[in-house]
Amino acid sequence: KTKSAWDKNPEEIIKGLKDVYFDTTTSSFIDGQEGKLLYRGYNIHDLAEKSTFEEVVYLLLYGKLPNKQQLEEFDQTMRANRRIPDEVIQVLDLVKGSHPMDALRTGISALAAFDPEVKDNSVEATIRKGVRLTAQGPTIVAAHHRLRQGLEPVAPDPSLNHAGNFLKMLFDEVPDQETTDLLDVDFILHAEHGSNASSFGARVTASTISDLHSAVTTGVGVLKGPAHGGAAEEVMRMALDIGQPENAEDYCRNILDNGGRFMGFGHRVYRAEDPHARHLRERSRILSEKVGQPHWFQILTYVEEEVMVRYRSRGIFVNVDFFAGSIYYLLGIPDDLFISIFALGRIAGWTLQCAEQFEDNILLRPLMEYTGEMDLEYTAIGDRS
Ligand code: CMC
């Protein structure tokens, strides 16, 4: 039944907008039953194994895979746009005591003051701004991380790719190829995911004909919560609490007996394994062996295969965040930076979704059934008990 604002008693309330289609998209396809994910028609498994983050951003923003020359030019544009104004560095210095996601949100918002196209909501300008924000995002996160340690920010290095440059700005050291490739895949896997909460939030902002900087700022704010991007940090905290594989059984039973939720499991759409997980699982295994700390992977495997196996019949499987945290941890990345890394990948997806929203806009404004009291008599403040 189509409801209208005049229905005082709607027949059905779809809480959390679960399973509601609100528009069409060409961004990504998700089959939650099968655990299948396509970006612009291409399987995430092919992109994770064969592509690069730069190529995937091009694919998402321009709708097709680039040829060699297009990719080279695009990569150069990304490299040329990494710097952020000194004024934004000063803002980051002022908020250096905040969580990295708060600093990223503030930094992106501050960049609006310096972007010459901030008010232009044409699809072309939105894409150009999205390319700039994708390139500038890592500079914000790395600069804030340096400033909060009392260190000078490290300037972007145009000789390195997107992932390598981010790691260099973070640690002031050129990373090895394996580490760069790990982060590159991680960025690919986080780049786009349909109408997830943060992309929906970004679209709501775009739907008021606000602008991309406001929408990406919204996206960062929505992503921050533990029900969304914050789960990776929580998973690693759980693994650290467990400490050793032999403690996992008691620890997990305690969570389950108390009706707790396992972070890194469950998804609003997938009723099968999240297709991101396999790429991060294998890489987490290899990395934990390489750095001589195999017990983290053993703990996670125990939780997945021995404890959470009983939830599979209810459609609760491992999600993208379960193995991501262990990879960041083993790379020496502080746990409060985990969500920011997710956000840096997702700027491309938010941009694409906003461009779609601007192109065929309708204000996103649903209804809620009122369940409060009605027509109460107003009493003057002096007459109230
Ligand atoms: N551990 C234990 N039980 C769970 C879990 C979990 N991780 N996830 C869902 N359930 C149960 C839940 O208790 C509920 O049971 P019942 O029907 O008996 O009350 C049932 O499954 C449905 O849960 P829901 O919260 O109504 O479902 P949802 O679609 O709103 O939840 C979710 C999606 C991601 C919020 C949830 O699965 C969750 O809280 N997971 C843990 C946090 C997490 O890993 N988040 C990352 C999500 S994927 C990446 C991203 O989006 O950023």
Side-chain angles (χ1 to χ4, degrees):
K1 181 190 167 198
T2 307
K3 297 178 195 72
S4 76
W6 290 273
D7 281 338
K8 289 201 185 96
N9 296 304
E11 279 166 17
E12 195 187 4
I13 289 175
I14 302 172
K15 222 164 148 77
L17 303 178
K18 259 186 185 182
D19 302 327
V20 170
Y21 286 88
F22 72 95
D23 213 328
T24 60
T25 184
T26 61
S27 58
S28 49
F29 168 81
I30 303 174
D31 182 330
Q33 297 297 331
E34 246 190 71
K36 180 174 181 178
L37 171 62
L38 311 177
Y39 289 175
R40 295 285 204 178
Y42 292 93
N43 198 301
I44 187 71
H45 298 315
D46 285 332
L47 296 173
E49 298 303 336
K50 299 177 193 162
S51 187
T52 62
F53 180 65
E54 286 81 347
E55 184 175 68
V56 166
V57 175
Y58 185 102
L59 170 68
L60 289 172
L61 298 186
Y62 301 103
K64 59 182 179 55
L65 285 172
N67 63 30
K68 209 161 178 283
Q69 194 195 335
Q70 286 166 331
L71 181 58
E72 254 168 48
E73 282 170 15
F74 180 69
D75 189 18
Q76 285 311 317
T77 306
M78 290 265 286
R79 287 175 200 234
N81 277 289
R82 287 174 180 163
R83 284 193 170 271
I84 56 176
D86 287 346
E87 290 88 337
V88 176
I89 301 268
Q90 284 167 26
V91 170
L92 294 174
D93 195 37
L94 288 172
V95 300
K96 61 174 174 264
S98 62
H99 188 281
M101 280 294 271
D102 296 340
L104 178 61
R105 197 186 56 223
T106 301
I108 289 188
S109 188
L111 278 176
F114 304 93
D115 196 303
E117 295 187 293
V118 72
K119 288 188 191 144
D120 188 342
N121 286 337
S122 65
V123 170
E124 295 72 20
T126 299
I127 301 289
R128 283 194 295 273
K129 285 185 282 186
V131 172
R132 286 198 280 280
L133 284 176
T134 302
Q136 290 165 322
T139 316
I140 296 176
V141 174
H144 172 256
H145 183 56
R146 303 280 301 169
L147 290 166
R148 69 180 176 157
Q149 298 172 88
L151 300 168
E152 276 295 305
V154 175
D157 182 340
S159 73
L160 298 173
N161 72 1
H162 189 78
N165 170 60
F166 173 55
L167 289 163
K168 170 155 182 220
M169 292 191 299
L170 213 50
F171 299 124
D172 197 14
E173 202 180 304
V174 176
D176 61 37
Q177 195 58 47
E178 260 182 306
T179 307
T180 302
D181 292 347
L182 259 177
L183 199 65
D184 185 67
V185 170
D186 186 86
F187 281 146
I188 292 174
L189 295 174
H190 284 105
E192 160 58 33
H193 213 186
S195 57
N196 60 89
S198 57
S199 298
F200 183 68
R203 283 187 94 122
V204 171
T205 301
S207 84
T208 68
I209 322 181
S210 181
D211 56 66
L212 186 70
H213 284 76
S214 303
V216 173
T217 305
T218 304
V220 175
V222 177
L223 182 67
K224 190 183 166 194
H228 196 356
E233 190 177 329
E234 305 279 335
V235 172
M236 200 51 218
R237 213 164 276 150
M238 177 183 76
L240 287 164
D241 281 350
I242 294 173
Q244 292 299 329
E246 54 271 23
N247 302 335
E249 178 103 53
D250 284 350
Y251 184 94
C252 296
R253 184 159 303 134
N254 192 31
I255 295 184
L256 292 176
D257 289 351
N258 290 303
R261 278 185 184 216
F262 268 97
M263 293 293 123
F265 282 87
H267 199 274
R268 176 56 68 81
V269 182
Y270 294 118
R271 292 292 165 263
E273 181 174 303
D274 177 339
H276 298 102
R278 78 160 82 149
H279 301 281
L280 297 175
R281 182 191 289 107
E282 186 53 12
R283 285 169 173 83
S284 170
R285 185 187 66 73
I286 294 168
L287 185 62
S288 19
E289 274 164 25
K290 182 183 156 197
V291 301
Q293 298 187 41
H295 53 292
W296 301 121
F297 186 73
Q298 287 161 9
I299 290 170
L300 296 180
T301 305
Y302 180 89
V303 173
E304 185 188 9
E305 289 179 2
E306 302 295 326
V307 182
M308 292 307 284
V309 69
R310 68 195 79 151
Y311 280 72
R312 287 185 194 163
S313 58
R314 292 172 55 191
I316 298 172
F317 287 79
V318 75
N319 66 43
V320 61
D321 286 321
F322 191 64
F323 292 102
S326 61
I327 292 180
Y328 304 145
Y329 176 81
L330 293 166
L331 290 178
I333 295 173
D335 60 3
D336 64 355
L337 280 175
F338 294 1
I339 326 173
S340 311
I341 296 174
F342 185 156
L344 296 179
R346 187 55 60 84
I347 294 173
W350 292 329
T351 302
L352 164 56
Q353 303 256 347
C354 289
E356 283 192 332
Q357 191 67 39
F358 287 136
E359 198 167 28
D360 182 20
N361 191 43
I362 178 165
L363 179 70
L364 287 169
R365 203 291 187 202
L367 293 173
M368 286 195 289
E369 184 185 13
Y370 177 71
T371 56
E373 293 181 273
M374 301 281 285
D375 302 325
L376 298 176
E377 195 177 329
Y378 181 86
T379 48
I381 192 159
D383 298 336
R384 292 175 212 158
S385 53

